[in-house]
Amino acid sequence: MRVEVDRDLCESNAVCVGVAPEVFSLDESDIAIVTVDEVPPAREAEVREAVQLCPKIALSLHEDARP
Ligand code: SF4
């Protein structure tokens, strides 16, 4: 599973970082970034929660694995 940030929507409130700090971070512009290529299975529940909690709906899940 992969997760992506829509940088145009993100408002830098770091909700995702608080929920899943091993997957999300803020870059030097305070926009969320994803720090992993594939979400580790042990982090998937946190990532799904972050997607639901993001107030800007800036996070999207992609269930397909990268080739
Ligand atoms: S929760 Fe959403 S709006 Fe907030 S920092 Fe993360 S991606 Fe951006």
Side-chain angles (χ1 to χ4, degrees):
M1 184 175 88
R2 290 180 296 116
V3 60
E4 289 182 352
V5 178
D6 185 328
R7 297 178 58 85
D8 293 331
L9 293 177
C10 176
E11 66 173 12
S12 310
N13 53 42
V15 170
C16 55
V17 182
V19 173
E22 293 180 34
V23 174
F24 300 103
S25 184
L26 297 186
D27 68 9
E28 62 280 357
S29 304
D30 282 342
I31 302 295
I33 55 171
V34 178
T35 58
V36 297
D37 205 21
E38 292 281 332
V39 176
R43 302 269 83 87
E44 286 190 4
E46 292 173 4
V47 169
R48 290 183 195 279
E49 186 180 356
V51 170
Q52 290 183 345
L53 290 177
C54 172
K56 301 301 288 183
I57 318 178
L59 300 174
S60 57
L61 286 180
H62 302 274
E63 302 285 351
D64 56 311
R66 248 183 209 151

